[in-house]
Amino acid sequence: MLAKVGLFDFLGTHMHGDGPGKAVLIRADPQLREELAGPGDAELFRTCAGLVDDRLNHEAGEGAVLHVTHVTLGLLARRIGQLSEEVQDLEGRLTRLVERHAPQLLAVVGIGPDTAGTLLITIGHNPEPLGSEASFAALCGVSPVERSSGSRQYRRLNRGGDRQANAALHRIVQTRLRVDPPTQDYYERRSKEGKTRREIVRSLRRYAAREVFYLVRPARPQPSYRGSRET
């Protein structure tokens, strides 16, 4: 799975995270730490990338330590720039592959190239068992597991299936909960009915699996309303 590479991922957000550069900043000159705590991401990146070219003298003591700190931060920033370009190139290639094989997935709220690629790999590696959307949901580990305790019947989370596909469906749901009004309305309605967040997310992941299956296999009828069916 591709991930965005940012300077704060390396240095630790505002020097309070756990990035590899955190140790460098902790031991850095206090004035340098203060200077790097202020700028936004883009400015901070440019500032650190330029540090390797500074012309501090090589005298012993604090001057030498500051020079080494500048060079270290500058090299880290430049490497991050190279990795970011590689990520962008790979994301472009992945997007083109998805557009070639299943462009309809990219039109769906919550599905980007990474998520679409993951789900297509799962489907492509398991063509025979996928006779129905229920079998695809089971393959992704989002089908409910029936359990009973005495006279009480309930459903628990399915911890089986393809975990990469399961994570992809989870990302779809989390994105929709943030930006998709129909999903947000569904969440509010089910919450008022007494459902827990875990139960609602489980239902939404099950629906997302159903939606993906019908999009990839369009010969079958598609569900009519996103977020309205239960598991």
Side-chain angles (χ1 to χ4, degrees):
M1 186 60 59
L2 299 177
K4 293 291 189 296
V5 180
L7 187 60
F8 284 126
D9 294 329
F10 244 94
L11 304 181
T13 303
H14 291 288
M15 296 170 289
H16 295 296
D18 296 321
K22 182 180 179 182
V24 178
L25 289 170
I26 288 177
R27 294 171 175 80
D29 179 79
Q31 183 177 350
L32 177 61
R33 291 203 305 270
E34 184 176 348
E35 291 174 358
L36 295 180
D41 287 12
E43 181 61 29
L44 177 61
F45 188 91
R46 287 192 294 268
T47 299
C48 287
L51 289 176
V52 74
D53 293 328
D54 73 359
R55 294 294 181 264
L56 290 177
N57 58 48
H58 294 268
E59 64 186 21
E62 293 184 0
V65 173
L66 183 59
H67 175 74
V68 171
T69 302
H70 279 207
V71 171
T72 300
L73 292 174
L75 292 175
L76 284 173
R78 291 187 176 189
R79 180 56 180 151
I80 292 167
Q82 295 170 354
L83 291 173
S84 296
E85 291 178 359
E86 293 176 13
V87 167
Q88 292 174 1
D89 177 65
L90 290 173
E91 285 186 334
R93 293 173 185 269
L94 179 58
T95 299
R96 290 190 291 274
L97 283 172
V98 174
E99 289 174 341
R100 182 185 306 167
H101 296 285
Q104 65 274 22
L105 287 179
L106 297 179
V108 176
V109 177
I111 300 182
D114 291 356
T115 298
T118 299
L119 294 170
L120 288 173
I121 288 172
T122 299
I123 293 172
H125 283 178
N126 302 272
E128 295 302 326
L130 300 182
S132 68
E133 52 90 11
S135 63
F136 178 61
L139 177 63
C140 296
V142 296
S143 57
V145 178
E146 302 290 344
R147 286 290 183 268
S148 63
S149 177
S151 60
R152 176 173 173 261
Q153 299 289 328
Y154 65 97
R155 292 170 172 175
R156 71 166 179 81
L157 183 67
N158 186 342
R159 301 189 182 281
D162 185 318
R163 304 319 294 170
Q164 292 295 324
N166 186 282
L169 293 172
H170 186 74
R171 287 195 299 275
I172 293 173
V173 171
Q174 295 303 315
T175 299
R176 289 178 174 179
L177 285 171
R178 291 195 304 271
V179 304
D180 185 45
T183 302
Q184 294 168 345
D185 292 343
Y186 174 81
Y187 183 88
E188 291 300 322
R189 176 166 59 85
R190 299 298 287 165
S191 294
K192 291 177 181 178
E193 293 173 358
K195 296 294 185 181
T196 66
R197 181 179 178 85
R198 176 177 293 184
E199 290 172 329
I200 298 170
V201 168
R202 185 185 65 206
S203 295
L204 288 170
R205 286 193 301 178
R206 176 66 177 83
Y207 181 83
R210 180 184 297 125
E211 185 177 16
V212 168
F213 179 84
Y214 285 121
L215 283 169
V216 176
R217 300 193 173 211
R220 300 175 182 271
Q222 296 191 23
S224 60
Y225 178 70
R226 173 155 47 82
S228 64
R229 297 192 179 183
E230 307 302 326
T231 59

